[in-house]
Amino acid sequence: MEEPEPAGAAQPGLRSLLPPREFLRSRKGQLLLAESVLSFIIFICYIASLAASFMMAPLLEFLLALFLFFAYASKLNEKFKGLYWPLTDFLRCVTAAIIYFAISIAAVSKYSDGASKAAGVFGFVATIVFAIDFYITFNDLLSFLKQGTSDPPEGHKSE
């Protein structure tokens, strides 16, 4: 006869796909979640608007933010050391902020339908969220670079 599982044990299934609560409570987790949600909302707004030609940028940013959200949540950044994750995240945030700012200005000024205006307003909010994220990531990059460049990287130490 099988023994019942304890009440506190994690159940397999969809619950295993959810990120840990510690990551969701972290600043990086909240920023990546906000970026994903905003990018998805903007994507939906552009699909419903006359400015449908702008829909590719929010779709790509949604997919990238979602990938990084699950990569950081599952600690892939600690497993794959060949890629410098904060620099990748910084470049993604900088380009996303610039692109969202540009297409939001174009959507608000050029198109007159409500969905384009909504996408533009959400785009300005996304620009602010991405700017906050790249500011925080930039400060992390600076503190990493100020730690000391006299230590050679782990993979390139001479014996």
Side-chain angles (χ1 to χ4, degrees), residues 25-81:
R25 290 184 183 145
S26 71
R27 181 175 46 192
K28 188 65 177 173
Q30 290 174 351
L31 281 171
L32 282 170
L33 189 61
E35 291 167 0
S36 298
V37 169
L38 280 170
S39 294
F40 186 71
I41 290 171
I42 295 166
F43 172 68
I44 296 299
C45 288
Y46 278 131
I47 286 177
S49 74
L50 295 174
S53 59
F54 294 142
M55 74 177 184
M56 188 53 101
L59 176 63
L60 288 175
E61 291 302 330
F62 168 70
L63 293 175
L64 285 172
L66 201 63
F67 168 73
L68 281 177
F69 179 77
F70 283 110
Y72 280 128
S74 61
K75 299 195 184 329
L76 281 177
N77 58 332
E78 295 173 2
K79 295 175 186 173
F80 294 107
K81 297 286 187 180

Side-chain angles (χ1 to χ4, degrees), residues 130-153:
F130 278 103
I132 290 169
D133 195 7
F134 85 70
Y135 176 75
I136 292 169
T137 307
F138 181 72
N139 286 337
D140 292 343
L141 282 172
L142 281 182
S143 65
F144 173 76
L145 292 174
K146 286 181 182 178
Q147 280 179 353
T149 56
S150 60
D151 298 332

Side-chain angles (χ1 to χ4, degrees), residues 93-117:
C93 290
V94 168
T95 56
I98 292 169
I99 289 170
Y100 271 130
F101 186 69
I103 66 174
S104 296
I105 289 175
V108 169
S109 64
K110 188 175 178 184
Y111 298 96
S112 61
D113 60 320
S116 295
K117 301 283 186 197

Side-chain angles (χ1 to χ4, degrees), residues 38 42 100 104 119-132:
L38 280 170
I42 295 166
Y100 271 130
S104 296
V121 170
F122 280 118
F124 287 127
V125 173
T127 300
I128 293 169
V129 171
F130 278 103
I132 290 169

